[in-house]
Amino acid sequence: MKHDPQRPNWQLVIEAVEALGGCASTPQIKQYFLENFLPETRSKNVPYDSKMVTVNSPSRVHYGGGKQPRRTDTNNQYDKLFLNERKQFELYDPAKHGVWEIFKNNLGTLTVTQVAEPETDTSEIIDIEGSLPNEKDPSKGTALTPEGEGSQFAMEAHLRDYLAQNLSSISGLNTTLSLFMDEAGIPGVEYRTEAGIIDILTIGTDNNFYVIELKVGKGADAVMGQVLRYMGWVRSKLASSIQDVFGVVIASRASNKLKYAASETPKVMLLEYELNFIVRSVE
């Protein structure tokens, strides 16, 4: 039994993942703690310390090492793990997992977002994320100019963060939404699944799941395909026999294509958002 009270728990979490072959679940890490580190109570902090050093964990910003804005390609001592879709922690590799960033959004709160894709084959990204922007075939996604692409992605991140923190601002539903939190304490913002990354996963006061997908820089076919795929995953993996699953597509303007698709999918609802931006002279 090892005992080094001078070493913080987050370092021991990384050591545990390394010792377990570079990939381990929270229960496996806890068991390693119980077998190797004293006192045994240290294992209780594993869920929190593992999130702090995980580059794609949205909740890492609530813990010490995750409160410093930065990119994860700077070799920071706290950017050491990556949470995969099987809810296992892997040793972080920017080439494999992409580059992530902790930054302050327009609300002044820290958030986590991906700023560079993994160095991987495009077909693998399509399999995981769904349709990519395609300038030859608009039905497979909306083509964006290099300048527009960055602004679209930034806008989606800001809109997603705002909605996740202000779910009560979403009207037009016959329920009040709250953010989903899984058994591992992972919140439903950019929620990673084997079907892809859900923008916002919520539960209504009616005890049903609501999968929110933002239509920013996505074609009608792409966004409908994504939300239906995510709904299927939630129904299969999370929902009980008495819970229903609904999709909510939020767009700045619902196109006729999107309306046609939603008219044949009664469990997918369309909502529109409006942004107000005012510039005033300095007095």
Side-chain angles (χ1 to χ4, degrees), residues 180-194:
F180 171 75
M181 184 84 70
D182 67 18
E183 294 179 353
I186 299 173
V189 181
E190 286 194 292
Y191 191 74
R192 301 184 71 85
T193 75
E194 58 188 323

Side-chain angles (χ1 to χ4, degrees), residues 23-242:
C23 185
S25 64
T26 298
Q28 289 172 326
I29 298 172
K30 281 186 172 182
Q31 186 60 37
Y32 186 89
F33 264 63
L34 290 172
E35 295 173 355
N36 293 277
F37 303 127
L38 289 173
E40 294 183 358
T41 53
R42 297 187 79 163
S43 65
K44 295 181 179 180
N45 289 325
V46 164
Y48 313 107
D49 291 300
S50 57
K51 290 173 192 174
M52 185 180 72
V53 295
T54 298
V55 298
N56 60 327
S57 172
S59 57
R60 69 181 314 206
V61 299
H62 302 302
Y63 309 106
K67 293 183 178 181
Q68 175 190 357
R70 63 180 181 276
R71 287 168 57 108
T72 60
D73 54 356
T74 57
N75 199 31
N76 187 280
Q77 63 177 339
Y78 296 113
D79 300 332
K80 297 300 181 182
L81 299 180
F82 177 87
L83 186 67
N84 64 30
E85 54 236 23
R86 297 184 302 278
K87 300 295 186 290
Q88 295 174 323
F89 294 95
E90 303 178 12
L91 295 176
Y92 173 57
D93 178 359
K96 179 182 178 182
H97 303 124
V99 178
W100 298 74
E101 182 179 12
I102 301 171
F103 72 100
K104 278 192 176 182
N105 60 26
N106 58 344
L107 301 175
T109 57
L110 290 174
T111 189
V112 175
T113 190
Q114 188 174 29
V115 294
E117 293 283 356
E119 297 174 10
T120 186
D121 183 76
T122 303
S123 61
E124 294 182 13
I125 300 175
I126 293 175
D127 287 342
I128 296 173
E129 301 298 341
S131 181
L132 289 177
N134 188 312
E135 58 189 18
K136 294 184 179 180
D137 187 352
S139 70
K140 295 181 180 179
T142 302
L144 302 172
T145 63
E147 294 81 5
E149 185 173 11
S151 61
Q152 290 275 16
F153 288 155
M155 181 178 179
E156 179 171 358
H158 292 159
L159 178 60
R160 181 189 62 242
D161 292 340
Y162 174 81
L163 290 175
Q165 297 175 42
N166 298 272
L167 289 171
S168 60
S169 68
I170 299 177
S171 58
L173 302 175
N174 295 322
T175 189
T176 301
L177 303 179
S178 60
L179 195 63
F180 171 75
M181 184 84 70
D182 67 18
E183 294 179 353
I186 299 173
V189 181
E190 286 194 292
Y191 191 74
R192 301 184 71 85
T193 75
E194 58 188 323
I197 302 177
I198 299 175
D199 280 341
I200 307 173
L201 181 57
T202 67
I203 291 185
T205 49
D206 56 4
N207 199 37
N208 293 320
F209 283 93
Y210 289 80
V211 177
I212 299 177
E213 193 66 19
L214 307 180
K215 186 187 179 299
V216 179
K218 303 172 186 174
D221 294 344
V223 72
M224 287 299 293
Q226 283 182 315
V227 75
L228 289 173
R229 187 168 71 245
Y230 301 156
M231 289 168 62
W233 183 89
V234 170
R235 184 178 301 282
S236 173
K237 303 295 184 180
L238 298 178
S240 68
S241 59
I242 61 172

